[in-house]
C-alpha cells in the first residue's frame, strides 16, 4: 500500500473526507503513473520476420524511416490522389489520402509501439513487431 | 549525419566461409552524387509542373537518408546467410 493511499484512508477514518471522495481520490491515483516508475519506452524499430520453409528473411526498419516515408504521401499531387484513392478502394482499403494530416500520421506511428502481428499458416510464418 | 557504415556479411553454411566487410556510407553517396546532379534539373522541372515545393521534396528525401541508420536486412536460407546493416 503506497503512502498516498494510506493518507487517503487515514483521512477517511478521521472523517475528513467521505467514502465517495476517498474512492475518487484512489481512482485518480491509480490513473496517474507512479513517481518512481519508468516512463514507457518508445519503440525505435519495426522488425519483420518472414519464414518460408528453409528461407528466413529478417528486416529491421527504424521508426524514423517510417516517419520520413509517410511524409512522402504529402507530395502526391491532388489530381493523382484521386487515382490513388480509387486504386486503394478497389483493393478494399477505404482510405482517403486527402484526409490524412501530419498529426494523424504521428499518432499512427506512436501506436505502432504496441504493434504485434503473428501469421502462421502452411505457407510460412510472418511476424511483425516493434522493438 | 547520413548513416555511417555499411556492413555486409556473407556466411556459407556448407563448409567454411564467412565474408565480412564494411565501408563508410559516404562512399556510396559519393558514387551516387553524379546521378543526383544529373537528375536534379529533371526533379526541379517536375516540381514546377506539378506545383510541388522542390525544397520540401529534397528535405523529405534527405530525412529518409538520415533515417536509414539502424536498418538491417538479413536473408537466411539453407546454403548461406547474407546480412546487410547500416550503422
Amino acid at each position: 500500500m503506497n503512502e498516498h493511499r494510506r493518507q487517503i484512508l487515514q483521512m477517511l477514518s478521521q472523517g475528513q473526507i467521505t467514502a465517495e471522495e476517498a474512492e475518487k481520490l484512489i481512482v485518480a491515483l491509480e490513473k496517474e503513473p507512479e513517481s518512481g516508475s519508468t516512463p514507457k519506452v518508445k519503440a525505435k524499430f519495426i522488425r519483420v520476420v518472414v519464414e518460408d520453409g528453409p528461407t528466413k528473411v529478417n528486416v529491421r526498419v527504424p521508426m524514423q524511416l517510417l516517419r520520413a516515408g509517410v511524409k512522402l504521401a504529402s507530395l502526391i499531387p491532388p489530381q493523382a490522389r484521386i487515382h490513388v484513392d480509387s486504386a486503394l478502394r478497389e483493393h478494399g482499403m477505404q482510405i482517403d489520402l486527402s484526409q490524412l494530416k501530419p498529426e494523424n500520421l504521428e499518432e499512427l506511428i506512436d501506436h505502432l509501439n504496441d504493434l504485434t502481428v503473428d501469421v502462421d499458416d502452411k505457407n510460412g510464418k510472418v511476424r511483425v513487431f516493434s522493438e | 549525419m547520413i548513416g555511417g557504415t555499411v556492413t555486409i556479411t556473407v556466411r556459407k553454411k556448407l563448409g567454411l566461409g564467412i565474408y565480412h566487410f564494411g565501408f563508410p556510407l559516404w562512399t556510396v553517396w559519393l558514387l551516387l552524387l553524379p546521378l543526383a546532379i544529373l537528375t536534379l534539373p529533371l526533379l526541379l522541372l517536375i516540381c514546377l509542373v506539378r506545383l510541388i515545393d522542390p525544397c520540401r521534396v529534397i528535405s523529405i528525401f534527405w530525412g529518409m537518408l538520415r533515417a536509414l541508420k539502424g536498418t538491417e536486412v538479413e536473408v537466411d536460407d539453407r546454403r548461406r546467410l547474407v546480412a546487410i546493416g547500416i550503422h
Side-chain angles (χ1 to χ4, degrees), chain B residues 20-72:
Chain B
H20 178 86
F21 55 96
F23 52 90
L25 202 52
W26 61 263
T27 55
V28 177
W29 305 137
L30 203 63
L31 286 171
L32 293 175
L33 189 61
L35 183 66
I37 292 170
L38 286 172
T39 54
L40 193 61
L42 182 64
L43 174 73
L44 290 173
L45 186 65
I46 293 170
C47 289
L48 200 66
V49 168
R50 293 292 182 183
L51 300 173
I52 301 170
D53 182 5
C55 295
R56 196 144 168 262
V57 173
I58 293 168
S59 160
I60 288 172
F61 277 103
W62 181 258
M64 288 179 74
L65 291 176
R66 287 182 63 193
L68 280 174
K69 194 172 182 179
T71 304
E72 290 177 1

Side-chain angles (χ1 to χ4, degrees), chain A:
Chain A
M1 186 184 292
N2 66 22
E3 189 58 35
H4 295 292
R5 210 172 283 182
R6 194 194 307 279
Q7 283 175 356
I8 292 169
L9 292 174
Q10 200 167 356
M11 285 161 66
L12 177 64
S13 67
Q14 289 169 358
Q16 292 175 9
I17 55 174
T18 63
E20 284 173 4
E21 286 168 350
E23 188 185 353
K24 282 180 189 171
L25 286 169
I26 290 172
V27 166
L29 265 181
E30 284 169 353
K31 282 183 185 170
E32 280 176 13
E34 293 287 334
S35 57
S37 66
T38 53
K40 193 177 175 183
V41 177
K42 275 192 172 181
K44 289 184 180 175
F45 301 98
I46 288 257
R47 195 176 281 276
V48 179
V49 180
V50 178
E51 291 181 42
D52 181 16
T55 306
K56 185 176 170 182
V57 178
N58 189 341
V59 178
R60 186 180 83 164
V61 175
M63 287 285 198
Q64 277 297 105
L65 189 60
L66 287 180
R67 283 191 178 89
V70 154
K71 287 177 190 173
L72 277 177
S74 64
L75 294 178
I76 300 173
Q79 54 270 32
R81 271 188 209 156
I82 298 166
H83 297 293
V84 172
D85 286 343
S86 63
L88 287 170
R89 271 193 291 274
E90 279 172 23
H91 287 84
M93 285 182 273
Q94 302 293 332
I95 297 172
D96 187 356
L97 288 178
S98 61
Q99 299 298 318
L100 285 178
K101 294 181 181 59
E103 52 269 21
N104 299 135
L105 297 170
E106 196 57 45
E107 192 182 333
L108 173 68
I109 289 173
D110 282 342
H111 283 297
L112 288 176
N113 284 338
D114 302 322
L115 172 73
T116 303
V117 175
D118 238 311
V119 178
D120 192 351
D121 68 3
K122 59 183 179 184
N123 296 327
K125 290 182 195 175
V126 177
R127 287 179 60 216
V128 181
F129 55 93
S130 58
E131 60 181 28

